[in-house]
mmCIF file of all heavy atoms in Angstrom:
data_model
loop_
_atom_site.group_PDB
_atom_site.id
_atom_site.type_symbol
_atom_site.label_atom_id
_atom_site.label_comp_id
_atom_site.label_asym_id
_atom_site.label_seq_id
_atom_site.Cartn_x
_atom_site.Cartn_y
_atom_site.Cartn_z
ATOM 1 N N ASN A 185 13.978 6.635 -7.196
ATOM 2 C CA ASN A 185 14.522 7.628 -8.166
ATOM 3 C C ASN A 185 15.247 8.730 -7.537
ATOM 4 O O ASN A 185 15.227 9.888 -8.162
ATOM 5 C CB ASN A 185 13.125 8.160 -8.972
ATOM 6 C CG ASN A 185 12.249 7.145 -9.486
ATOM 7 O OD1 ASN A 185 10.996 7.346 -9.471
ATOM 8 N ND2 ASN A 185 12.688 5.957 -9.814
ATOM 9 N N HIS A 186 15.890 8.481 -6.480
ATOM 10 C CA HIS A 186 16.690 9.474 -5.764
ATOM 11 C C HIS A 186 15.960 10.570 -5.098
ATOM 12 O O HIS A 186 16.532 11.638 -4.891
ATOM 13 C CB HIS A 186 17.749 9.995 -6.688
ATOM 14 C CG HIS A 186 18.552 8.973 -7.393
ATOM 15 N ND1 HIS A 186 19.647 8.166 -6.774
ATOM 16 C CD2 HIS A 186 18.482 8.546 -8.749
ATOM 17 C CE1 HIS A 186 20.112 7.406 -7.623
ATOM 18 N NE2 HIS A 186 19.603 7.553 -8.882
ATOM 19 N N HIS A 187 14.668 10.346 -4.748
ATOM 20 C CA HIS A 187 13.955 11.349 -4.019
ATOM 21 C C HIS A 187 13.862 10.909 -2.558
ATOM 22 O O HIS A 187 14.122 9.767 -2.170
ATOM 23 C CB HIS A 187 12.557 11.325 -4.559
ATOM 24 C CG HIS A 187 12.455 12.028 -5.885
ATOM 25 N ND1 HIS A 187 12.506 13.346 -6.182
ATOM 26 C CD2 HIS A 187 12.064 11.367 -7.141
ATOM 27 C CE1 HIS A 187 12.460 13.643 -7.381
ATOM 28 N NE2 HIS A 187 12.154 12.349 -8.006
ATOM 29 N N PRO A 188 13.867 11.946 -1.636
ATOM 30 C CA PRO A 188 13.815 11.608 -0.260
ATOM 31 C C PRO A 188 12.585 10.927 0.245
ATOM 32 O O PRO A 188 12.660 10.211 1.337
ATOM 33 C CB PRO A 188 13.998 12.898 0.549
ATOM 34 C CG PRO A 188 13.397 13.918 -0.508
ATOM 35 C CD PRO A 188 13.771 13.320 -1.945
ATOM 36 N N ALA A 189 11.554 10.838 -0.433
ATOM 37 C CA ALA A 189 10.302 10.205 -0.111
ATOM 38 C C ALA A 189 9.473 9.726 -1.328
ATOM 39 O O ALA A 189 9.618 10.307 -2.310
ATOM 40 C CB ALA A 189 9.453 11.186 0.758
ATOM 41 N N CYS A 190 8.721 8.695 -1.092
ATOM 42 C CA CYS A 190 7.779 8.291 -2.064
ATOM 43 C C CYS A 190 6.509 9.048 -1.925
ATOM 44 O O CYS A 190 5.896 9.119 -0.740
ATOM 45 C CB CYS A 190 7.464 6.749 -1.945
ATOM 46 S SG CYS A 190 8.984 5.661 -2.107
ATOM 47 N N ARG A 191 6.129 9.863 -2.880
ATOM 48 C CA ARG A 191 5.057 10.812 -2.732
ATOM 49 C C ARG A 191 3.960 10.406 -3.686
ATOM 50 O O ARG A 191 4.044 10.108 -4.904
ATOM 51 C CB ARG A 191 5.478 12.238 -3.024
ATOM 52 C CG ARG A 191 6.479 12.685 -2.014
ATOM 53 C CD ARG A 191 6.823 14.196 -2.187
ATOM 54 N NE ARG A 191 7.729 14.553 -1.099
ATOM 55 C CZ ARG A 191 8.176 15.882 -1.029
ATOM 56 N NH1 ARG A 191 7.804 16.836 -1.867
ATOM 57 N NH2 ARG A 191 8.908 16.227 0.048
ATOM 58 N N PHE A 192 2.648 10.383 -3.136
ATOM 59 C CA PHE A 192 1.506 9.913 -3.855
ATOM 60 C C PHE A 192 0.493 11.197 -3.918
ATOM 61 O O PHE A 192 0.246 11.831 -2.803
ATOM 62 C CB PHE A 192 0.830 8.654 -3.122
ATOM 63 C CG PHE A 192 1.782 7.570 -3.024
ATOM 64 C CD1 PHE A 192 2.603 7.493 -1.931
ATOM 65 C CD2 PHE A 192 1.890 6.616 -4.023
ATOM 66 C CE1 PHE A 192 3.555 6.450 -1.737
ATOM 67 C CE2 PHE A 192 2.791 5.453 -3.860
ATOM 68 C CZ PHE A 192 3.519 5.427 -2.735
ATOM 69 N N GLU A 193 -0.274 11.273 -5.013
ATOM 70 C CA GLU A 193 -1.378 12.204 -5.076
ATOM 71 C C GLU A 193 -2.609 11.372 -5.345
ATOM 72 O O GLU A 193 -2.571 10.567 -6.330
ATOM 73 C CB GLU A 193 -1.137 13.231 -6.064
ATOM 74 C CG GLU A 193 -2.265 14.356 -6.194
ATOM 75 C CD GLU A 193 -1.857 15.418 -7.152
ATOM 76 O OE1 GLU A 193 -1.267 16.288 -6.700
ATOM 77 O OE2 GLU A 193 -2.327 15.403 -8.282
ATOM 78 N N ILE A 194 -3.681 11.567 -4.558
ATOM 79 C CA ILE A 194 -4.906 10.863 -4.762
ATOM 80 C C ILE A 194 -6.007 11.909 -5.191
ATOM 81 O O ILE A 194 -6.263 12.709 -4.419
ATOM 82 C CB ILE A 194 -5.352 10.115 -3.513
ATOM 83 C CG1 ILE A 194 -4.245 9.030 -3.183
ATOM 84 C CG2 ILE A 194 -6.676 9.352 -3.754
ATOM 85 C CD1 ILE A 194 -3.477 9.417 -1.986
ATOM 86 N N THR A 195 -6.598 11.727 -6.423
ATOM 87 C CA THR A 195 -7.421 12.742 -6.921
ATOM 88 C C THR A 195 -8.624 12.133 -7.681
ATOM 89 O O THR A 195 -8.443 10.904 -8.237
ATOM 90 C CB THR A 195 -6.707 13.703 -7.805
ATOM 91 O OG1 THR A 195 -6.146 12.955 -8.903
ATOM 92 C CG2 THR A 195 -5.691 14.551 -7.197
ATOM 93 N N PRO A 196 -9.843 12.749 -7.564
ATOM 94 C CA PRO A 196 -10.920 12.300 -8.391
ATOM 95 C C PRO A 196 -10.755 12.910 -9.811
ATOM 96 O O PRO A 196 -10.004 13.850 -10.053
ATOM 97 C CB PRO A 196 -12.143 12.866 -7.669
ATOM 98 C CG PRO A 196 -11.544 14.144 -7.126
ATOM 99 C CD PRO A 196 -10.132 13.891 -6.765
ATOM 100 N N THR A 197 -11.493 12.233 -10.760
ATOM 101 C CA THR A 197 -11.365 12.817 -12.149
ATOM 102 C C THR A 197 -12.328 14.023 -12.312
ATOM 103 O O THR A 197 -12.106 14.735 -13.374
ATOM 104 C CB THR A 197 -11.778 11.655 -13.190
ATOM 105 O OG1 THR A 197 -13.079 11.183 -12.737
ATOM 106 C CG2 THR A 197 -10.893 10.476 -13.109
ATOM 107 N N SER A 198 -13.141 14.212 -11.318
ATOM 108 C CA SER A 198 -13.989 15.402 -11.377
ATOM 109 C C SER A 198 -14.360 15.950 -10.025
ATOM 110 O O SER A 198 -14.121 15.203 -9.074
ATOM 111 C CB SER A 198 -15.280 15.098 -12.159
ATOM 112 O OG SER A 198 -16.052 14.059 -11.422
#
Side-chain angles (χ1 to χ4, degrees):
N185 309 148
H186 305 291
H187 292 285
C190 299
R191 296 187 177 183
F192 304 86
E193 183 172 277
I194 301 109
T195 54
T197 56
S198 60

